[in-house]
Structure formats: structure tokens, C-alpha cells
Amino acid sequence: MSEDERKAVYFEVLGSFSMGRAEDGTKKEYVIPGKAGKKVLSFLQYLIVNHTRSISLEELIEQFWPETDSTDPGNALKNMMFRTRSYLKKVFPEQKELIRKLPGCYIWNPDVRVEVDAEQFEQKYLEARGKKDEEHVELLLEAVSLYKGDFLAGNDSDWTASIRHYYQTLYLDACKKALSALQEKERWSEMISICEQAYEVDFSMDAFVVHHMQALISLGQPEKAVERYQMFRKMLWQEYEIEPASHVEQMHALASGMCQSSRDSEDILKLVSEGAEERGAFFCTFGVFQSIVALERRHLARTKQNSTLVLVTIADKSAPTTDARRLQRILLEGLRTGDLVARLDAGSYIVMLTGASVESTQAVIRRVEQKFHKTYSGSDADIRFRMSALEPLIIQEQKI
């Protein structure tokens, strides 16, 4: 073992901060550090992240004592460096001097190799961009495996924010690229593992839930794909008050169809009859709403009856989410079983009143508005309605 290989220290900054000895360049012997103050750790982490360059005294003072009450920030820096060196000595007693003082700056001892997992992660990601096929996939998977959490997740100092965002962006892009490559190779189980890890960084990205559902479907588990969709939809609404994108809905429709096709005829008849006794309007996604409206237009062309579309909005866009949910409850409970309701955004809904003319719809609107303000007398929500008669589908008759 060479002298350079023996004198090596390793730091993990992706996820929980940890450190160890990199004895042969690959095998890590982790060290359990002693206690250190929050500022000492942040100071040390800043030095680690910038270990490839000299760090001036002015930079450190500006970063850690920008508005200090101390009349001597230079002395505060000396004390902090003493505490940091003492801490490192306890962790790595075999290393004589890890951080050296030069005129006007500090540097890491060039005789000691410093390895940082974030740098290794970035290197694998960049290497993958120049490779193809199997080598491209494996480098991406190595990069993804190195990302064990957000950059210095326990450090809330200002200097970490931009770096954290940078590594998050690289990681999410690496995941998307890896998922596309794995899908081509039909490596479904690995796709599921990556998606489950990526949700911890950004659960709301459509690409992850679509790939996850695709992998589950391909493994013959459409029921789990539907469960994944339902969880995604619920979290998306709770966090951002938006509905899933159309391609997510399409994947959900595929999974749902496969769930139904796997049932025998008795199961299907039972499934269709379930929920038949539920009262109130039918609530669905906008994509489903569009499909039912298209079907209703065909129905109107045959029956010559009427149906009406109503756009219901809370005029004040700054209205609290509570009013929007109250409005949804009133619509679902106050309309008929055959009527249809879909959410457009946080404060607006689209409604189809089946078999209702514009004149009868006006009476329905008045009842809905009165019921809302009677039920929620303390609300100042300004509810507005726009109506439009649903036009029958014009069908060209074919001559035989």
C-alpha cells in the first residue's frame, strides 16, 4: 500500500454527515466522531466542500462572522480553527495536520488525499454523459447509489442552499436518464427501486410516477400501480392543489383496465354494481369528465334532450383553500346523482347537469349558492357561475 493510499480521509456530505478513512481508495472505514458544536461542524463542512483550493481569511470571516458583535473577527476565526483542528485530531488521531495555515489563507494538507462522496457522485454523472449503452447505464446507477440524501441535510446555513439545489438537480436528472435506459432494457425491479428513492427528493415529478407505474404493470402488478397513482394524486393535491398530468392519467387508465380485465365475469358484474347506491353528483378527474361529456353529446344527438355545462369559480383567487373544499362539498351533496363534477384548479370546478336546460340550470345555481352561504355563513367567498348549453354531436349519416 502506497503512502498516498494510507494517508486518506473520506467525507460523506450527501445525506447525514459522516467521515472515515479511505485506506485503499475504495474500502471505507467509518469513524464515529465525537460531539462538536453546530457552528464548528458547519465551519468544517465548508472547509471540506472547498478542499481543492486555498480559502482566504476574508472569505471565512465574511461567511461566518458577517455581522458579528465581536470587535475582533480575526481572533474569532483563530478560535474556530483551533476548535476545528482539535475535533479533526480526535477523529483522525493518526493524521498530524489536516489543515495548514499559509499567509492569508488556509489549505488542506496536500499530503493527505481528501475524498468527498458528492464529488464522486458528480464525476460519475458527468462521465455517464459521454458514454453509451451498458456503460452509460452503469455509470448512472453508480451515481444514483452515491446519493444517499440531500447535501448536508442537517445544515441549514445559507451557504448550503445553492449547493444543495445543484446536487438535487443532478440527481433528479440522473434518475430520469437511468429510468429511460432501464425501461429499454426491461429492468423493472431496478426502476422501482430508483423511483422509490427519488420520491424522497421530489415526489411530484411526473416522470417518476409514470416509470414506477409502468414497471409495476410490466411485472404483472397493476393493482399496485393503481395504489401508487392514488397516493401520488392525493399528495399532489395536498401539497400543490393540482391534478396529475394527462400522461399520468393515461397510465392510470391502463393499470385500471388491466385490473378489471384480470377479473372473471362475476367479478366484473359485482364491480360495476358497487357504489350504485351512492348519492350526490359524480366526482372525477378532468380527463374522465371530458370523456363523459363526449359520450353525453352523442346521447343528446339521439334523444334531442338538453344538458348544460357550468363553470363554478371563487372569484377571489386569494380565497383560502377551505372555501374551495366547502364549495366542492356543496356541489357533490347538492347536485343529482347523474350530474358530473371535476376540479379545474384550486378555486374552480366544471359541472355537467344532465337533462337540464339553461333555464332550469339557473334555478339549480341559485340553490347551490344559497346552500353554500347558509351552511358556511361566516365565509365571504364570492362564487360565480358561467353556463353554456351542451351542443349535441353532429353525426353524418352514411348512405348505403
Side-chain angles (χ1 to χ4, degrees), residues 51-93:
H51 74 92
T52 58
R53 64 183 180 89
S54 60
I55 309 173
S56 70
L57 309 184
E58 291 78 8
E59 176 183 344
L60 291 170
I61 290 173
E62 183 179 353
Q63 188 65 247
F64 290 93
W65 296 275
E67 298 176 359
T68 180
D69 295 331
S70 173
T71 56
D72 189 359
N75 189 54
L77 172 58
K78 289 180 181 179
N79 290 335
M80 178 62 71
M81 185 58 71
F82 174 79
R83 293 169 63 189
T84 302
R85 282 170 164 164
S86 298
Y87 178 71
L88 285 172
K89 189 62 181 176
K90 292 178 181 178
V91 177
F92 303 107

Side-chain angles (χ1 to χ4, degrees), residues 203-220:
F203 79 88
S204 66
M205 293 190 69
D206 295 342
F208 298 144
V209 71
V210 169
H211 278 298
H212 196 170
M213 293 171 68
Q214 176 65 65
L216 289 169
I217 290 171
S218 300
L219 289 173

Side-chain angles (χ1 to χ4, degrees), residues 15-49:
S16 300
F17 177 63
S18 60
M19 58 193 79
R21 304 176 183 88
E23 292 187 351
D24 59 1
T26 56
K27 184 179 179 180
K28 310 296 187 300
E29 178 189 349
Y30 290 94
V31 178
I32 301 176
K35 292 183 179 181
K38 185 177 180 180
K39 193 164 186 176
V40 171
L41 278 181
S42 182
F43 186 83
L44 170 60
Q45 290 161 355
Y46 188 86
L47 296 176
I48 292 168
V49 172

Side-chain angles (χ1 to χ4, degrees), residues 349-363:
Y349 295 84
I350 184 74
V351 176
M352 182 175 73
L353 300 180
T354 56
S357 65
V358 172
E359 290 75 17
S360 60
T361 297
Q362 291 175 339

Side-chain angles (χ1 to χ4, degrees), residues 166-391:
Y166 171 73
Y167 284 120
Q168 283 178 342
T169 301
L170 291 193
Y171 170 71
L172 295 173
D173 189 61
C175 286
K176 287 190 288 186
K177 285 181 168 63
L179 287 167
S180 297
L182 291 173
Q183 181 169 334
E184 291 181 4
K185 299 178 180 297
E186 299 185 359
R187 292 163 64 172
W188 310 118
S189 297
E190 290 172 272
M191 287 175 61
I192 292 172
S193 178
I194 288 177
C195 289
E196 290 175 344
Q197 182 181 349
Y199 290 140
E200 299 296 323
V201 178
D202 189 347
F203 79 88
S204 66
M205 293 190 69
D206 295 342
F208 298 144
V209 71
V210 169
H211 278 298
H212 196 170
M213 293 171 68
Q214 176 65 65
L216 289 169
I217 290 171
S218 300
L219 289 173
Q221 302 172 11
E223 296 85 0
K224 290 187 176 180
V226 171
E227 291 177 5
R228 179 66 254 179
Y229 164 83
Q230 292 171 341
M231 184 183 302
F232 172 75
R233 186 171 184 269
K234 180 179 179 181
M235 293 176 67
L236 199 64
W237 178 253
Q238 289 178 340
E239 187 69 22
Y240 303 111
E241 296 189 343
I242 59 175
E243 298 287 356
S246 58
H247 56 285
V248 180
E249 296 286 5
Q250 291 169 3
M251 189 62 67
H252 172 241
L254 174 61
S256 298
M258 292 184 67
C259 288
Q260 294 181 19
S261 64
S262 65
R263 304 170 185 265
D264 59 29
S265 58
E266 183 178 347
D267 289 333
I268 293 174
L269 291 173
K270 182 179 178 181
L271 176 66
V272 171
S273 64
E274 286 178 350
E277 297 180 0
E278 292 183 2
R279 298 180 180 180
F282 177 69
F283 185 72
C284 62
T285 65
F286 183 69
V288 173
F289 185 94
Q290 287 179 301
S291 299
I292 297 177
V293 167
L295 185 61
E296 178 65 8
R297 291 184 66 200
R298 290 172 176 265
H299 174 73
L300 296 179
R302 294 194 306 269
T303 64
K304 310 302 181 183
Q305 295 179 349
N306 298 302
S307 287
T308 304
L309 295 177
V310 184
L311 181 63
V312 188
T313 61
I314 298 178
D316 184 1
K317 291 300 181 182
S318 63
T321 304
T322 303
D323 279 335
R325 292 176 177 170
R326 288 170 174 173
L327 176 59
Q328 177 177 314
R329 187 177 301 113
I330 293 297
L331 290 171
L332 295 180
E333 295 176 356
L335 299 179
R336 301 166 302 172
T337 304
D339 296 331
L340 196 63
V341 179
R343 183 190 296 115
L344 295 177
D345 55 37
S348 62
Y349 295 84
I350 184 74
V351 176
M352 182 175 73
L353 300 180
T354 56
S357 65
V358 172
E359 290 75 17
S360 60
T361 297
Q362 291 175 339
V364 173
I365 287 173
R366 286 194 295 271
R367 289 199 300 269
V368 168
E369 189 171 19
Q370 289 170 0
K371 184 174 181 180
F372 180 92
H373 289 296
K374 182 179 179 180
T375 305
Y376 306 107
S377 57
S379 173
D380 295 327
D382 180 13
I383 303 174
R384 299 182 183 181
F385 303 86
R386 289 180 58 188
M387 297 177 296
S388 176
L390 186 62
E391 297 293 334

